[in-house]
Amino acid sequence: MPLYEYHCQECGERFEKLLRMSDDAKAVRCPACAGASVERLLSSFATSGKQSGASSAASCGPVG
Ligand SMILES: [Zn+2]
Protein backbone atom coordinates (compact mmCIF):
# COMPACT_ATOMS: atom_id res chain seq x y z
CA MET A 1 0.00 0.00 0.00
CA PRO A 2 1.38 3.35 -0.94
CA LEU A 3 2.08 5.67 1.94
CA TYR A 4 2.03 9.29 0.98
CA GLU A 5 3.27 12.25 2.93
CA TYR A 6 1.29 15.45 2.90
CA HIS A 7 1.98 18.98 3.94
CA CYS A 8 -0.76 21.35 4.91
CA GLN A 9 -0.36 24.78 3.44
CA GLU A 10 -2.66 26.35 5.97
CA CYS A 11 -1.18 25.31 9.28
CA GLY A 12 2.01 23.66 8.17
CA GLU A 13 1.08 20.26 9.51
CA ARG A 14 2.91 17.31 8.06
CA PHE A 15 1.13 14.02 8.09
CA GLU A 16 1.17 10.71 6.37
CA LYS A 17 -1.74 9.14 4.65
CA LEU A 18 -2.10 5.57 3.64
CA LEU A 19 -4.12 5.45 0.49
CA ARG A 20 -5.89 2.44 -0.79
CA MET A 21 -7.07 1.86 -4.26
CA SER A 22 -10.59 2.87 -3.36
CA ASP A 23 -9.56 6.05 -1.62
CA ASP A 24 -9.63 9.32 -3.43
CA ALA A 25 -6.30 11.06 -3.23
CA LYS A 26 -7.95 14.41 -3.77
CA ALA A 27 -10.12 14.04 -0.72
CA VAL A 28 -7.20 14.22 1.66
CA ARG A 29 -7.64 16.77 4.37
CA CYS A 30 -5.39 17.99 7.10
CA PRO A 31 -6.05 16.17 10.39
CA ALA A 32 -5.05 19.24 12.36
CA CYS A 33 -7.12 21.99 10.81
CA ALA A 34 -9.25 19.99 8.38
CA GLY A 35 -7.95 22.14 5.59
CA ALA A 36 -8.22 20.95 2.05
CA SER A 37 -5.21 22.79 0.71
CA VAL A 38 -2.65 20.09 1.21
CA GLU A 39 0.17 19.16 -1.05
CA ARG A 40 1.60 15.74 -1.50
CA LEU A 41 5.26 15.35 -0.82
CA LEU A 42 7.51 13.00 -2.61
CA SER A 43 8.46 9.94 -0.70
CA SER A 44 12.14 9.89 -0.03
CA PHE A 45 12.81 6.52 1.43
CA ALA A 46 14.66 5.26 -1.59
CA THR A 47 17.31 7.90 -1.71
CA SER A 48 20.55 7.69 0.17
CA GLY A 49 23.13 10.38 -0.18
CA LYS A 50 25.51 8.79 2.24
CA GLN A 51 27.95 6.16 1.28
CA SER A 52 30.36 4.70 3.75
CA GLY A 53 33.24 3.79 1.56
CA ALA A 54 36.16 2.17 3.24
CA SER A 55 39.56 3.33 2.19
CA SER A 56 40.50 0.55 -0.10
CA ALA A 57 42.71 2.23 -2.60
CA ALA A 58 44.41 -0.83 -3.90
CA SER A 59 46.72 0.65 -6.43
CA CYS A 60 49.70 -1.55 -5.87
CA GLY A 61 49.95 -4.20 -8.50
CA PRO A 62 52.22 -7.16 -8.67
CA VAL A 63 55.56 -5.60 -9.31
CA GLY A 64 58.18 -7.98 -10.25
ZN1 LIG B 1 -3.65 22.05 8.48
Side-chain angles (χ1 to χ4, degrees):
M1 283 183 290
L3 180 65
Y4 295 109
E5 190 171 6
Y6 287 87
H7 170 253
C8 179
Q9 297 178 346
E10 296 187 18
C11 70
E13 176 77 12
R14 283 183 65 175
F15 58 97
E16 294 177 342
K17 185 78 174 180
L18 192 63
L19 292 181
R20 296 179 184 175
M21 295 180 63
S22 59
D23 289 339
D24 191 3
K26 297 177 183 175
V28 176
R29 285 179 176 270
C30 174
C33 69
S37 55
V38 296
E39 59 174 354
R40 194 171 76 183
L41 303 177
L42 297 176
S43 56
S44 59
F45 48 79
T47 59
S48 62
K50 249 186 178 181
Q51 249 186 348
S52 60
S55 60
S56 60
S59 64
C60 39
V63 179

